Short mmCIF file of all heavy atoms in Angstrom, two decimals:
data_model
loop_
_atom_site.label_atom_id
_atom_site.label_comp_id
_atom_site.label_asym_id
_atom_site.label_seq_id
_atom_site.Cartn_x
_atom_site.Cartn_y
_atom_site.Cartn_z
N GLY A 164 100.41 85.71 86.24
CA GLY A 164 100.87 86.33 87.46
C GLY A 164 101.60 87.65 87.24
O GLY A 164 102.13 88.22 88.17
N LYS A 165 101.55 88.10 85.97
CA LYS A 165 102.30 89.35 85.63
C LYS A 165 101.38 90.53 85.33
O LYS A 165 101.84 91.52 84.77
CB LYS A 165 103.17 89.06 84.45
CG LYS A 165 104.28 88.03 84.75
CD LYS A 165 105.09 87.75 83.52
CE LYS A 165 106.15 86.67 83.83
NZ LYS A 165 106.98 86.35 82.61
N GLY A 166 100.13 90.41 85.69
CA GLY A 166 99.19 91.53 85.44
C GLY A 166 97.89 91.21 86.17
O GLY A 166 97.75 90.14 86.79
N ARG A 167 96.99 92.19 86.18
CA ARG A 167 95.68 91.97 86.83
C ARG A 167 94.57 91.86 85.77
O ARG A 167 94.65 92.44 84.70
CB ARG A 167 95.38 93.11 87.82
CG ARG A 167 95.22 94.47 87.25
CD ARG A 167 94.64 95.48 88.28
NE ARG A 167 95.37 95.40 89.52
CZ ARG A 167 96.40 96.18 89.83
NH1 ARG A 167 96.82 97.04 88.94
NH2 ARG A 167 96.95 96.11 91.01
N CYS A 168 93.55 91.09 86.12
CA CYS A 168 92.39 90.94 85.25
C CYS A 168 91.48 92.14 85.37
O CYS A 168 91.26 92.67 86.47
CB CYS A 168 91.63 89.69 85.62
SG CYS A 168 92.57 88.14 85.40
N LEU A 169 90.93 92.60 84.24
CA LEU A 169 89.90 93.61 84.24
C LEU A 169 88.97 93.34 83.09
O LEU A 169 89.30 92.72 82.10
CB LEU A 169 90.49 95.01 84.23
CG LEU A 169 91.13 95.53 82.89
CD1 LEU A 169 91.20 97.05 82.95
CD2 LEU A 169 92.49 94.95 82.71
N ARG A 170 87.73 93.84 83.24
CA ARG A 170 86.66 93.59 82.22
C ARG A 170 87.07 94.09 80.87
O ARG A 170 87.64 95.19 80.75
CB ARG A 170 85.40 94.32 82.68
CG ARG A 170 84.63 93.65 83.75
CD ARG A 170 83.40 94.47 84.05
NE ARG A 170 82.63 93.96 85.19
CZ ARG A 170 81.99 94.75 86.01
NH1 ARG A 170 81.93 96.08 85.81
NH2 ARG A 170 81.29 94.21 87.05
N LYS A 171 86.68 93.39 79.86
CA LYS A 171 86.84 93.88 78.52
C LYS A 171 85.87 95.01 78.25
O LYS A 171 86.15 95.99 77.59
CB LYS A 171 86.63 92.72 77.48
CG LYS A 171 87.69 91.67 77.52
CD LYS A 171 87.37 90.58 76.52
CE LYS A 171 88.37 89.48 76.55
NZ LYS A 171 88.07 88.36 75.59
N ASP A 172 84.60 94.77 78.69
CA ASP A 172 83.54 95.80 78.59
C ASP A 172 83.26 96.29 80.02
O ASP A 172 82.70 95.57 80.83
CB ASP A 172 82.34 95.18 77.96
CG ASP A 172 81.13 96.17 77.94
OD1 ASP A 172 81.33 97.36 78.30
OD2 ASP A 172 80.01 95.72 77.58
N TYR A 173 83.70 97.51 80.32
CA TYR A 173 83.54 98.01 81.67
C TYR A 173 82.10 98.01 82.14
O TYR A 173 81.77 97.93 83.33
CB TYR A 173 84.15 99.41 81.80
CG TYR A 173 83.18 100.57 81.65
CD1 TYR A 173 82.53 101.08 82.76
CD2 TYR A 173 82.89 101.10 80.39
CE1 TYR A 173 81.63 102.13 82.63
CE2 TYR A 173 81.96 102.12 80.29
CZ TYR A 173 81.33 102.68 81.42
OH TYR A 173 80.48 103.69 81.26
N ASP A 174 81.18 98.16 81.16
CA ASP A 174 79.75 98.32 81.53
C ASP A 174 78.98 96.96 81.55
O ASP A 174 77.75 96.96 81.45
CB ASP A 174 79.07 99.27 80.57
CG ASP A 174 77.91 100.03 81.21
OD1 ASP A 174 77.81 100.03 82.46
OD2 ASP A 174 77.12 100.66 80.48
N SER A 175 79.73 95.86 81.68
CA SER A 175 79.09 94.56 81.77
C SER A 175 78.95 94.22 83.23
O SER A 175 79.35 94.94 84.11
CB SER A 175 79.93 93.52 81.07
OG SER A 175 81.16 93.23 81.78
N SER A 176 78.34 93.10 83.50
CA SER A 176 78.10 92.66 84.91
C SER A 176 78.80 91.34 85.20
O SER A 176 78.22 90.44 85.81
CB SER A 176 76.57 92.55 85.10
OG SER A 176 75.98 93.78 85.03
N HIS A 177 80.06 91.22 84.81
CA HIS A 177 80.86 90.04 85.11
C HIS A 177 81.82 90.35 86.21
O HIS A 177 82.48 91.43 86.19
CB HIS A 177 81.56 89.59 83.82
CG HIS A 177 80.60 89.22 82.73
ND1 HIS A 177 79.97 87.98 82.72
CD2 HIS A 177 80.20 89.90 81.65
CE1 HIS A 177 79.18 87.94 81.61
NE2 HIS A 177 79.32 89.12 80.98
N TYR A 178 81.96 89.46 87.15
CA TYR A 178 82.73 89.72 88.35
C TYR A 178 83.83 88.68 88.54
O TYR A 178 83.76 87.58 88.02
CB TYR A 178 81.82 89.80 89.58
CG TYR A 178 80.86 90.90 89.53
CD1 TYR A 178 79.55 90.72 89.11
CD2 TYR A 178 81.24 92.21 89.99
CE1 TYR A 178 78.67 91.79 89.03
CE2 TYR A 178 80.36 93.25 89.93
CZ TYR A 178 79.07 93.05 89.49
OH TYR A 178 78.20 94.10 89.43
N LEU A 179 84.82 89.02 89.36
CA LEU A 179 85.83 88.14 89.77
C LEU A 179 85.40 87.49 91.11
O LEU A 179 85.67 88.02 92.19
CB LEU A 179 87.22 88.81 89.97
CG LEU A 179 87.78 89.43 88.68
CD1 LEU A 179 88.98 90.31 88.94
CD2 LEU A 179 88.17 88.30 87.69
N HIS A 180 84.73 86.39 90.99
CA HIS A 180 84.22 85.70 92.14
C HIS A 180 84.57 84.21 92.10
O HIS A 180 84.64 83.63 90.99
CB HIS A 180 82.68 85.78 92.25
CG HIS A 180 82.16 87.09 92.60
ND1 HIS A 180 80.87 87.50 92.30
CD2 HIS A 180 82.75 88.13 93.26
CE1 HIS A 180 80.69 88.74 92.76
NE2 HIS A 180 81.79 89.15 93.32
N LEU A 181 84.92 83.58 93.20
CA LEU A 181 85.09 82.17 93.27
C LEU A 181 83.75 81.47 93.32
O LEU A 181 82.84 81.90 94.06
CB LEU A 181 85.94 81.78 94.49
CG LEU A 181 87.34 82.34 94.62
CD1 LEU A 181 87.99 81.92 95.89
CD2 LEU A 181 88.18 81.95 93.42
N ASN A 182 83.59 80.42 92.56
CA ASN A 182 82.37 79.63 92.54
C ASN A 182 82.27 78.84 93.85
O ASN A 182 83.16 78.02 94.13
CB ASN A 182 82.34 78.72 91.34
CG ASN A 182 81.00 78.06 91.15
OD1 ASN A 182 80.23 77.83 92.04
ND2 ASN A 182 80.71 77.74 89.87
N SER A 183 81.21 79.02 94.62
CA SER A 183 81.08 78.35 95.89
C SER A 183 80.96 76.81 95.69
O SER A 183 81.20 76.07 96.68
CB SER A 183 79.85 78.85 96.62
OG SER A 183 78.65 78.69 95.89
N ALA A 184 80.59 76.37 94.51
CA ALA A 184 80.55 74.94 94.28
C ALA A 184 81.90 74.31 94.20
O ALA A 184 82.07 73.07 94.39
CB ALA A 184 79.75 74.70 93.01
N ASP A 185 82.93 75.12 93.88
CA ASP A 185 84.27 74.59 93.67
C ASP A 185 85.24 75.00 94.72
O ASP A 185 86.36 74.39 94.86
CB ASP A 185 84.81 75.06 92.30
CG ASP A 185 83.92 74.62 91.16
OD1 ASP A 185 83.45 73.49 91.16
OD2 ASP A 185 83.69 75.46 90.26
N PHE A 186 84.89 76.01 95.55
CA PHE A 186 85.85 76.56 96.51
C PHE A 186 85.20 76.64 97.91
O PHE A 186 83.97 76.81 98.05
CB PHE A 186 86.31 77.94 96.12
CG PHE A 186 87.30 78.01 95.00
CD1 PHE A 186 86.83 78.00 93.70
CD2 PHE A 186 88.64 77.94 95.25
CE1 PHE A 186 87.73 77.99 92.65
CE2 PHE A 186 89.56 77.97 94.19
CZ PHE A 186 89.12 77.99 92.92
N SER A 187 86.05 76.53 98.90
CA SER A 187 85.61 76.73 100.26
C SER A 187 86.54 77.77 100.88
O SER A 187 87.72 77.89 100.56
CB SER A 187 85.70 75.48 101.08
OG SER A 187 87.00 75.00 101.18
N ILE A 188 85.97 78.63 101.73
CA ILE A 188 86.70 79.71 102.45
C ILE A 188 86.63 79.36 103.92
O ILE A 188 85.59 79.29 104.48
CB ILE A 188 86.16 81.06 102.13
CG1 ILE A 188 86.34 81.37 100.64
CG2 ILE A 188 86.84 82.15 103.02
CD1 ILE A 188 85.62 82.70 100.24
#
């Protein structure tokens, strides 16, 4: 909780998304 997440490799295709199988909005 003391920093923000960011990609190790900026040119990759990994995102900060919640998995719909585990979360409901």
Side-chain angles (χ1 to χ4, degrees):
K165 297 178 181 179
R167 65 169 50 90
C168 296
L169 72 162
R170 284 180 186 146
K171 293 179 181 178
D172 175 7
Y173 95 91
D174 210 14
S175 71
S176 296
H177 299 281
Y178 295 96
L179 295 171
H180 289 158
L181 298 179
N182 191 331
S183 60
D185 302 318
F186 285 88
S187 63
I188 295 173

